[in-house]
């Protein structure tokens, strides 16, 4: 099957600069499932930006994602959440905009957003993020978080995949794929 996020980052980039001040319309939905998913997404970003390991553990479903496992099985490294949430590693202060929700079924849903890192070395960067959610005991749990650079000016050079174990990164260079630690 096609890797939708990688396809978007490589070939279907935005046609114009994103309006990062524009408020999401998803939050105005009266659908309770959409509201629950947006709250779950907000909890994930709270854990990520504040470095809250306990909250991160609560947000994720306790099972590995096949997309993360395939990178590990091919020799990639997973940076665990303890490492990813350290003071200098986590994206503290990162902004999240243009949140949206797609409910695929009664127990599977996806949220999307644009991530805007605020660290000076990433000034002007934007990332497209997609989260896959699964309903567990009437609570939406995160199964997979993915990001890819999302810009008018350049094609994405890498992608980040995260599950309950932590994050793996794939980067593209000179026609070959390499694995490594967390991007940014």
């Amino acid at each position: 099957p096609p890797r939708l996020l990688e396809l978007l980052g490589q070939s279907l980039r935005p046609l114009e600069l994103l309006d990062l001040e524009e408020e999401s319309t998803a939050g105005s939905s009266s659908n309770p499932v959409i509201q629950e998913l947006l709250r779950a997404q907000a909890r994930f970003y709270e854990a990520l930006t504040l470095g809250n390991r306990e909250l991160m553990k609560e947000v994720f479903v306790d099972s590995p994602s096949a997309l993360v496992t395939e990178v590990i099985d091919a020799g990639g490294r997973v940076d665990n959440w303890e490492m990813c949430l350290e003071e200098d590693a986590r994206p503290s202060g990162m902004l999240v905009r243009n949140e949206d929700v797609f409910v695929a079924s009664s127990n599977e849903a996806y949220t999307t957003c644009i991530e805007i890192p605020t660290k000076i070395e990433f000034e002007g960067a934007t990332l497209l993020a997609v989260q896959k959610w699964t309903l567990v005991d009437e609570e939406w749990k995160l199964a997979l978080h993915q990001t890819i650079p999302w810009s008018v000016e350049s094609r994405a050079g890498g992608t980040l995949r995260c599950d309950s174990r932590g994050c793996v990164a794939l980067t593209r260079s000179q026609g070959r794929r390499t694995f490594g630690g967390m991007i940014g």
Side-chain angles (χ1 to χ4, degrees):
R3 305 282 184 188
L4 185 58
L5 194 67
E6 286 89 344
L7 179 66
L8 288 170
Q10 287 291 315
S11 303
L12 300 172
R13 299 183 316 267
L15 297 175
E16 57 188 48
L17 293 176
L18 301 170
D19 181 0
L20 301 178
E21 299 304 316
E22 181 180 321
E23 291 295 319
S24 170
T25 58
S28 63
S29 172
S30 61
N31 182 319
V33 174
I34 290 175
Q35 291 300 316
E36 287 173 29
L37 285 157
L38 289 172
R39 281 192 296 274
Q41 183 188 48
R43 288 181 71 217
F44 166 71
Y45 281 106
E46 176 184 343
L48 182 64
T49 59
L50 297 178
N52 187 328
R53 292 177 184 89
E54 289 305 312
L55 181 56
M56 189 62 79
K57 195 178 292 187
E58 291 174 21
V59 168
F60 272 97
V61 66
D62 193 25
S63 61
S65 164
L67 289 177
V68 173
T69 299
E70 81 175 2
V71 175
I72 296 168
D73 289 349
R77 181 186 79 228
V78 63
D79 289 343
N80 65 33
W81 281 110
E82 186 169 311
M83 182 183 295
C84 294
L85 296 176
E86 287 178 357
E87 182 71 34
D88 292 333
R90 72 175 182 265
S92 57
M94 181 173 67
L95 304 175
V96 177
R97 296 285 187 268
N98 299 92
E99 301 92 331
D100 208 350
V101 176
F102 171 71
V103 179
S105 70
S106 62
N107 64 352
E108 181 178 283
Y110 296 84
T111 53
T112 62
C113 65
I114 304 298
E115 298 177 349
I116 307 144
T118 56
K119 291 184 178 180
I120 193 71
E121 61 268 28
F122 301 109
E123 190 173 325
T126 55
L127 302 165
L128 173 63
V130 177
Q131 295 90 27
K132 179 180 179 182
W133 301 88
T134 187
L135 193 61
V136 178
D137 297 328
E138 298 185 34
E139 184 178 0
W140 289 103
K141 295 284 192 170
L142 187 54
L144 177 68
H145 168 72
Q146 294 179 266
T147 65
I148 196 160
W150 187 245
S151 134
V152 174
E153 292 87 27
S154 64
R155 294 173 59 153
T159 185
L160 185 69
R161 299 175 184 172
C162 307
D163 68 8
S164 60
R165 297 170 286 183
C167 298
V168 297
L170 290 97
T171 58
R172 199 170 280 287
S173 65
Q174 299 291 318
R176 67 184 182 121
R177 205 172 252 196
T178 58
F179 303 107
M182 202 167 155
I183 298 173

